[in-house]
Amino acid sequence: MRALILVPIIHNSADLGSLVSVTESSRNEAQTRQYLDAVEHFWTVVYSVIDDMNLNYQQLKVYQDSLPVCSVIDRIVADVAASGSKNYALLEALQKKGATIMGTESSDLLLQEKALMTYLLQSAERTEESVAKAQALLNQRDSFIGQRINESLADDEMAILFLGLMHNIEPYLSSDIVVIQPLGKRP
């Protein structure tokens, strides 16, 4: 049996990279403060829930949305954690406890999504076509993530997947993977 702990995530500014300026310009100061407070509280809960699970970190694989399959995973995790990402700081903490951080996504699909999101966030016009294109790209990413987990999570292994709320990878997972949702079922 293979098990996957599915943890939905909320991105903070450090996670958004070059998209941060575009997204922050859409909020006023009070909205920004409220958002940052909510994100801080959310990550405090996530840290606590994971810590309470008493996991065997030496046998744990960790998958992260937006983390590409590449040869510089450790550097990416360290750099994003150092920039203030609560999500990546948690990845780094799990790695220090012995967990293996896994490249999770296709670099090509991530670059396509970044270009599309930059365009959509800067454009005042959102058409049905652009929304459909964004959904199709998200579906491709979900399919890739599911395949990556299916192929790299061995029998009797456990993993955690940190995944944004818009994703839906469960249809792409092998039927022998048990999905655990410690923060509750996703809508």
Side-chain angles (χ1 to χ4, degrees), residues 2 5-6 16-17 27 44 46 56 60 66 73 95 98 106-107 111 113-114 127 130 156 161 172 176 185-186:
R2 303 185 286 177
I5 301 165
L6 183 56
L16 298 177
R27 293 190 287 259
T44 300
V46 170
N56 180 349
L60 183 70
S66 299
I73 292 168
Q95 187 175 42
S106 160
S107 296
L111 290 172
E113 183 171 72
K114 179 182 177 187
T127 64
S130 64
D156 297 323
L161 170 61
Y172 303 104
D176 68 316
K185 294 267 185 204
R186 295 159 46 108

Side-chain angles (χ1 to χ4, degrees), residues 2 8 26 87 121-122 161:
R2 303 185 286 177
S26 66
N87 187 176
L121 289 169
Q122 292 174 343
L161 170 61

Side-chain angles (χ1 to χ4, degrees), residues 154-173:
D155 288 339
D156 297 323
E157 282 189 328
M158 179 171 279
I160 294 178
L161 170 61
F162 295 99
L163 192 65
L165 294 171
M166 298 300 292
H167 291 269
N168 181 20
I169 64 135
E170 290 181 68
Y172 303 104
L173 293 174

Side-chain angles (χ1 to χ4, degrees), residues 109-140:
L109 292 174
L110 289 171
L111 290 172
Q112 289 176 42
E113 183 171 72
K114 179 182 177 187
L116 180 60
M117 290 301 111
T118 300
Y119 168 76
L120 291 175
L121 289 169
Q122 292 174 343
S123 171
E125 184 178 324
R126 291 197 177 103
T127 64
E128 284 184 35
E129 180 183 335
S130 64
V131 171
K133 185 175 180 180
Q135 186 60 54
L137 191 51
L138 185 63
N139 292 344
Q140 289 176 332

Side-chain angles (χ1 to χ4, degrees), residues 65-93:
D65 90 354
S66 299
L67 184 61
V69 175
C70 65
S71 62
V72 292
I73 292 168
D74 292 343
R75 190 177 83 212
I76 292 171
V77 170
D79 288 350
V80 180
S83 76
S85 169
K86 298 290 186 184
N87 187 176
Y88 279 73
L90 179 54
L91 295 182
E92 201 170 48

Side-chain angles (χ1 to χ4, degrees), residues 88-109:
Y88 279 73
L90 179 54
L91 295 182
E92 201 170 48
L94 293 172
Q95 187 175 42
K96 287 178 182 172
K97 291 179 178 183
T100 302
I101 308 299
M102 304 292 293
T104 307
E105 292 219 48
S106 160
S107 296
D108 291 340
L109 292 174

